[in-house]
Coordinates of all heavy atoms in Angstrom, one line a residue:
I975 N -11.1 -6.0 -8.8 CA -10.3 -4.9 -8.2 C -9.4 -4.4 -9.4 O -8.7 -5.2 -10.0 CB -9.4 -5.4 -7.1 CG1 -10.3 -5.9 -5.9 CG2 -8.6 -4.2 -6.5 CD1 -9.5 -6.5 -4.7
N976 N -9.4 -3.1 -9.6 CA -8.6 -2.5 -10.6 C -7.2 -2.1 -10.0 O -6.5 -3.0 -9.5 CB -9.3 -1.3 -11.2 CG -10.5 -1.7 -12.0 OD1 -10.7 -2.8 -12.4 ND2 -11.5 -0.8 -12.1
D977 N -6.9 -0.8 -9.9 CA -5.6 -0.5 -9.4 C -5.6 -0.6 -7.9 O -6.6 -0.4 -7.2 CB -5.3 1.0 -9.7 CG -5.0 1.3 -11.2 OD1 -5.0 0.3 -11.9 OD2 -4.9 2.4 -11.5
M978 N -4.4 -1.0 -7.4 CA -4.2 -1.1 -5.9 C -2.9 -0.3 -5.6 O -2.0 -0.2 -6.5 CB -4.0 -2.5 -5.4 CG -5.2 -3.4 -5.7 SD -5.1 -5.0 -5.0 CE -5.6 -4.7 -3.3
G979 N -2.8 0.3 -4.5 CA -1.6 1.1 -4.2 C -1.3 1.3 -2.7 O -2.2 1.0 -1.9
W980 N -0.2 1.8 -2.5 CA 0.2 2.2 -1.1 C 0.6 3.7 -1.1 O 1.3 4.2 -2.0 CB 1.5 1.4 -0.7 CG 1.2 0.0 -0.4 CD1 1.3 -1.1 -1.3 CD2 0.7 -0.6 0.8 NE1 0.9 -2.3 -0.7 CE2 0.5 -2.0 0.6 CE3 0.3 0.0 2.1 CZ2 0.0 -2.8 1.6 CZ3 -0.1 -0.9 3.1 CH2 -0.3 -2.3 2.8
Y981 N 0.1 4.4 -0.1 CA 0.4 5.8 0.1 C 1.0 5.9 1.5 O 0.8 5.0 2.4 CB -0.9 6.6 0.0 CG -1.5 6.7 -1.3 CD1 -2.1 5.6 -1.9 CD2 -1.5 7.9 -2.1 CE1 -2.7 5.7 -3.2 CE2 -2.0 8.0 -3.3 CZ -2.6 6.9 -3.9 OH -3.1 7.0 -5.2
R982 N 1.6 7.0 1.8 CA 2.1 7.3 3.2 C 1.9 8.7 3.5 O 1.9 9.6 2.6 CB 3.5 6.8 3.3 CG 4.5 7.7 2.5 CD 5.9 7.1 2.6 NE 6.9 7.8 1.8 CZ 8.2 7.4 1.6 NH1 8.6 6.3 2.1 NH2 9.0 8.2 1.0
Q983 N 1.8 9.0 4.8 CA 1.7 10.3 5.3 C 2.6 10.4 6.6 O 2.3 9.8 7.6 CB 0.2 10.7 5.6 CG 0.0 12.1 6.0 CD -1.4 12.5 6.0 OE1 -2.3 11.7 6.0 NE2 -1.7 13.8 5.9
A984 N 3.5 11.3 6.5 CA 4.4 11.6 7.6 C 3.8 12.8 8.4 O 3.1 13.6 7.8 CB 5.8 11.9 7.1
P985 N 4.2 13.0 9.6 CA 3.7 14.1 10.4 C 3.9 15.4 9.8 O 5.1 15.7 9.4 CB 4.4 13.9 11.8 CG 4.7 12.5 11.8 CD 5.0 12.1 10.4
G986 N 2.9 16.2 9.6 CA 3.1 17.6 9.0 C 3.2 17.6 7.5 O 3.4 18.7 7.0
K987 N 3.0 16.4 6.9 CA 3.2 16.4 5.4 C 1.9 15.8 4.8 O 1.1 15.2 5.5 CB 4.4 15.5 5.0 CG 5.7 16.0 5.5 CD 6.8 15.2 4.9 CE 8.2 15.8 5.3 NZ 9.3 15.0 4.7
E988 N 1.7 16.1 3.5 CA 0.6 15.5 2.8 C 0.8 14.1 2.5 O 1.9 13.6 2.4 CB 0.4 16.3 1.5 CG 0.0 17.8 1.7 CD -0.4 18.5 0.4 OE1 -0.2 17.9 -0.6 OE2 -0.8 19.7 0.5
R989 N -0.3 13.4 2.3 CA -0.3 12.0 1.9 C 0.3 11.9 0.5 O -0.1 12.7 -0.4 CB -1.7 11.4 1.9 CG -1.7 9.9 1.7 CD -3.1 9.3 1.9 NE -3.6 9.5 3.3 CZ -4.7 9.0 3.8 NH1 -5.5 8.2 3.0 NH2 -5.1 9.2 5.0
E990 N 1.2 11.0 0.3 CA 1.8 10.8 -1.1 C 1.8 9.4 -1.5 O 1.8 8.4 -0.7 CB 3.3 11.3 -1.0 CG 4.2 10.4 -0.1 CD 5.6 10.8 -0.1 OE1 6.0 11.7 -0.9 OE2 6.4 10.2 0.6
L991 N 1.8 9.2 -2.9 CA 1.8 7.9 -3.4 C 3.2 7.3 -3.3 O 4.2 8.0 -3.6 CB 1.4 8.0 -4.9 CG 1.6 6.7 -5.7 CD1 0.5 5.6 -5.2 CD2 1.4 6.9 -7.2
V992 N 3.2 6.1 -2.8 CA 4.5 5.3 -2.7 C 4.6 4.4 -3.9 O 5.7 4.4 -4.6 CB 4.5 4.5 -1.4 CG1 5.8 3.7 -1.3 CG2 4.4 5.4 -0.2
A993 N 3.6 3.6 -4.2 CA 3.7 2.6 -5.2 C 2.3 2.2 -5.6 O 1.4 2.2 -4.8 CB 4.5 1.4 -4.9
A994 N 2.1 1.9 -6.9 CA 0.8 1.4 -7.4 C 1.0 0.3 -8.4 O 2.0 0.1 -9.0 CB 0.0 2.6 -8.0
I995 N -0.1 -0.5 -8.5 CA 0.0 -1.7 -9.4 C -1.4 -1.9 -10.0 O -2.4 -1.8 -9.3 CB 0.5 -3.0 -8.6 CG1 0.6 -4.1 -9.6 CG2 -0.5 -3.3 -7.5 CD1 1.4 -5.3 -9.0
T996 N -1.4 -2.1 -11.3 CA -2.7 -2.3 -12.0 C -3.1 -3.8 -11.9 O -2.3 -4.6 -11.4 CB -2.5 -2.0 -13.5 OG1 -1.6 -2.9 -14.1 CG2 -2.0 -0.6 -13.7
S997 N -4.3 -4.1 -12.3 CA -4.7 -5.5 -12.3 C -3.9 -6.4 -13.2 O -3.8 -7.6 -12.9 CB -6.2 -5.5 -12.7 OG -6.4 -5.0 -14.0

Side-chain angles (χ1 to χ4, degrees):
I975 302 177
N976 295 335
D977 293 356
M978 302 184 82
W980 289 95
Y981 292 72
R982 67 186 181 187
Q983 188 167 19
K987 296 186 177 180
E988 294 186 353
R989 189 174 298 188
E990 63 175 357
L991 174 68
V992 176
I995 185 167
T996 68
S997 58

